[in-house]
């Protein structure tokens, strides 16, 4: 039964108190909202769900498992201790904890602690029997005052102010990562690492600069071309940036800031026959800022210094993003409008060309060598195309 329909049938369940009724609705809605996002939890009948906001803000199972892959590649599996200082719903705690002998979950919200205590005590067939998570109702700063040392400390700071509004700087998050960083470093073992989950809305360069006392590997994580998370892993080696879409992990793009800074992509000279195909990197690569290097690595021409579209005369099928074939036929009824570094918005361009949305044709407006240019194109669908 859908939660929305169930909410209208209060009179049928008069034997339930208002508190019991609200809890039941919360459980039905929570499972409906997260069934696709958290299939492991959805399969457990006794699993408890928190309020809607916590369900909406939590990591997905797929991004949580990617975090485990990261620490595995960095030699952190089979270590002794893991601390999640901002436990929340506990998704990341759950999937990271089976890599460690001891796990501490810390959360300042008492209700989330109650739910986590119940969920973490449930027998899960796919997990090691000796996996145990210790729940602590505490603010992160208070817990650290008496904490020991850990092989991995994970934080996902809250990105809302006291009025519920979104914040866009690390200094405004809770806890304040910039202020807390020296204390966190004191609680790491000799080989320990920090793993931070940041909002895709945060300015990546500014965030890394604010935390520059530590070198960070950066992971920009997208799912189906939508950036979901930005992860920072403290690193002792020269740091790298990885842009990955979990729908196509084989197309992960890893680079360093120096590589991007020193890249010398070929720039397009005109709109002649060498523009047969157009390319747009996926959202993770664009967020990571590999604007020049992606062209250099794939042998593409960049259309303009500020246009993050690229061109070739032959198809490059394994490109990590969308590909279009430029056509001679102009769209005259329907088209999908895309504007990149173009003086008109998609809506304005659609009105100017007297087009309706939809169909298989594309009109791509951009600047080429500073000149506003229109391309008529069709999407190249290969075996890696988005579904």
């Amino acid at each position: 039964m859908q939660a929305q329909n169930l909410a209208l049938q209060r009179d049928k369940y008069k034997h339930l108190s208002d508190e019991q009724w609200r809890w039941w609705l919360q459980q039905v809605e929570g499972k409906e909202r997260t069934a696709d996002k958290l299939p492991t939890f959805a399969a457990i009948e006794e699993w408890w769900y928190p309020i809607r906001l916590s369900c909406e803000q939590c990591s997905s199972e797929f991004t949580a498992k990617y975090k485990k892959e990261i620490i595995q590649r960095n030699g952190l599996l089979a270590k002794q201790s893991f601390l999640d200082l901002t436990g929340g719903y506990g998704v990341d705690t759950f999937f990271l904890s089976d890599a460690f002998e001891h796990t501490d979950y810390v959360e300042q919200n008492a209700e989330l602690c109650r739910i986590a205590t119940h969920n973490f005590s449930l027998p899960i067939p796919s997990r090691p029997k000796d996996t145990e998570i210790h729940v602590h109702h505490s603010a992160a700063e208070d817990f650290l005052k008496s904490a020991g040392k850990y092989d991995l400390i994970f934080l996902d700071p809250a990105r809302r102010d006291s009025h519920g509004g979104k914040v866009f700087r690390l200094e405004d998050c809770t806890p304040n990562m910039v202020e807390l960083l020296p204390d966190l470093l004191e609680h790491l073992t000799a080989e320990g690492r920090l793993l931070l989950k940041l909002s895709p809305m945060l300015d990546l360069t500014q965030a890394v600069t604010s935390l520059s006392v530590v070198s960070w590997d950066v992971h920009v994580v997208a799912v189906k071309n939508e950036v979901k998370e930005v992860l920072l892993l403290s690193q002792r080696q020269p740091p790298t940036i990885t842009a990955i879409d979990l729908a196509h992990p084989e197309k992960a793009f890893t680079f360093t800031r120096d590589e991007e800074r020193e890249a010398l992509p070929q720039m397009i000279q005109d709109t002649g026959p060498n523009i047969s195909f157009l390319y747009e990197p996926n959202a993770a690569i664009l967020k990571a800022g590999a604007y020049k290097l992606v062209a250099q690595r794939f042998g593409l021409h960049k259309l303009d210094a500020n246009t993050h579209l690229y061109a070739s005369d032959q198809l490059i099928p394994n490109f990590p993003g969308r590909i279009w074939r430029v056509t001679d036929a102009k769209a005259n009824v329907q088209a999908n409008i895309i504007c990149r570094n173009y003086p008109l918005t998609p809506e304005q361009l659609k009105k100017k060309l007297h087009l309706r949305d939809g169909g298989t044709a594309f009109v791509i407006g951009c600047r080429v060598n500073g000149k506003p240019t229109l391309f008529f194109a069709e999407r190249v669908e290969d075996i890696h195309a988005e579904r």
Side-chain angles (χ1 to χ4, degrees):
M1 183 179 293
Q2 297 294 319
Q4 188 173 6
N5 295 332
L6 183 61
L8 301 175
Q9 302 180 36
R10 176 68 173 101
D11 290 344
K12 291 185 178 181
Y13 302 92
K14 294 180 179 179
H15 61 287
L16 296 177
S17 68
D18 288 343
E19 183 178 359
Q20 291 171 327
W21 172 251
R22 286 191 296 269
W23 173 256
W24 187 29
L25 284 179
Q26 179 176 307
Q27 298 313 297
V28 174
E29 182 184 42
K31 186 168 185 176
E32 286 180 351
R33 284 184 171 273
T34 63
D36 293 334
K37 185 178 181 180
L38 299 164
T40 294
F41 297 170
I44 304 170
E45 285 296 326
E46 297 175 350
W47 195 265
W48 286 358
Y49 296 87
I51 61 173
R52 178 187 298 185
L53 183 62
S54 296
C55 289
E56 291 175 346
Q57 293 182 339
C58 72
S59 295
S60 71
E61 180 169 329
F62 314 105
T63 57
K65 287 180 176 178
Y66 179 71
K67 296 181 185 72
K68 184 176 176 180
E69 290 180 23
I70 292 174
I71 67 168
Q72 184 174 18
R73 291 200 299 268
N74 283 270
L76 285 172
L77 285 187
K79 294 292 184 179
Q80 293 185 350
S81 54
F82 164 48
L83 169 62
D84 186 342
L85 266 178
T86 51
Y89 182 14
V91 177
D92 290 310
T93 317
F94 180 89
F95 287 101
L96 284 168
S97 63
D98 60 10
F100 297 89
E101 295 179 10
H102 178 93
T103 294
D104 284 317
Y105 159 105
V106 178
E107 172 54 51
Q108 60 184 352
N109 182 293
E111 175 63 6
L112 288 174
C113 286
R114 184 181 78 90
I115 291 172
T117 299
H118 167 82
N119 288 340
F120 294 156
S121 69
L122 295 174
I124 312 297
S126 61
R127 287 168 63 79
K129 292 182 179 179
D130 57 352
T131 298
E132 186 175 2
I133 302 173
H134 304 270
V135 175
H136 305 270
H137 177 210
S138 172
E141 298 88 343
D142 294 337
F143 182 83
L144 285 176
K145 292 176 182 178
S146 58
K149 291 185 179 289
Y150 293 86
D151 296 298
L152 178 67
I153 299 178
F154 173 71
L155 287 97
D156 176 11
R159 295 176 284 274
R160 293 184 181 272
D161 59 25
S162 58
H163 304 291
K166 292 183 179 180
V167 297
F168 300 98
R169 299 192 314 149
L170 272 181
E171 293 86 344
D172 298 326
C173 294
T174 305
N176 182 330
M177 281 301 310
V178 179
E179 290 183 353
L180 195 60
L181 184 58
D183 199 11
L184 292 171
L185 296 174
E186 290 294 321
H187 287 85
L188 290 177
T189 61
E191 299 298 323
R193 303 285 183 84
L194 296 177
L195 179 61
L196 311 182
K197 173 186 169 183
L198 308 181
S199 165
M201 300 300 293
L202 289 176
D203 183 280
L204 182 53
T205 301
Q206 185 183 63
V208 172
T209 301
S210 298
L211 303 170
S212 58
V213 68
V214 176
S215 293
W216 301 96
D217 275 352
V218 178
H219 295 258
V220 180
V221 184
V223 178
K224 296 183 179 178
N225 209 35
E226 180 183 354
V227 178
K228 296 293 188 180
E229 299 177 359
V230 174
L231 305 173
L232 304 185
L233 178 66
S234 62
Q235 184 61 264
R236 292 174 177 82
Q237 303 299 322
T240 62
I241 303 172
T242 298
I244 184 170
D245 191 314
L246 298 184
H248 305 298
E250 75 283 358
K251 293 187 178 184
F253 191 89
T254 299
F255 65 103
T256 67
R257 293 193 181 279
D258 286 344
E259 285 181 306
E260 170 63 19
R261 190 179 303 113
E262 297 167 3
L264 296 172
Q266 299 181 71
M267 302 300 294
I268 206 74
Q269 297 303 314
D270 53 45
T271 57
N274 57 338
I275 300 185
S276 298
F277 296 91
L278 291 175
Y279 304 80
E280 182 177 53
N282 65 37
I285 292 175
L286 292 174
K287 176 67 179 180
Y291 306 130
K292 298 186 296 181
L293 187 62
V294 71
Q296 182 174 295
R297 284 196 183 172
F298 286 90
L300 303 174
H301 288 77
K302 202 173 191 306
L303 297 187
D304 186 274
N306 297 312
T307 299
H308 305 316
L309 292 173
Y310 309 84
S312 71
D313 58 349
Q314 299 293 326
L315 177 64
I316 308 297
N318 293 318
F319 181 79
R322 294 193 289 180
I323 308 173
W324 294 272
R325 178 184 289 105
V326 177
T327 65
D328 294 328
K330 294 186 177 181
N332 55 16
V333 179
Q334 269 188 317
N336 302 280
I337 309 295
I338 296 174
C339 292
R340 301 289 185 263
N341 188 29
Y342 192 71
L344 299 179
T345 66
E347 190 64 30
Q348 290 169 335
L349 183 56
K350 180 178 65 175
K351 185 176 181 179
K352 179 180 179 180
L353 297 177
H354 307 289
L355 293 173
R356 300 198 313 268
D357 286 323
T360 58
F362 282 79
V363 177
I364 302 172
C366 61
R367 280 188 172 89
V368 179
N369 278 335
K371 179 183 177 182
T373 304
L374 287 181
F375 292 99
F376 297 91
E378 60 184 7
R379 180 77 184 275
V380 174
E381 301 286 351
D382 61 22
I383 60 172
H384 299 299
E386 294 290 343
R387 293 175 171 83

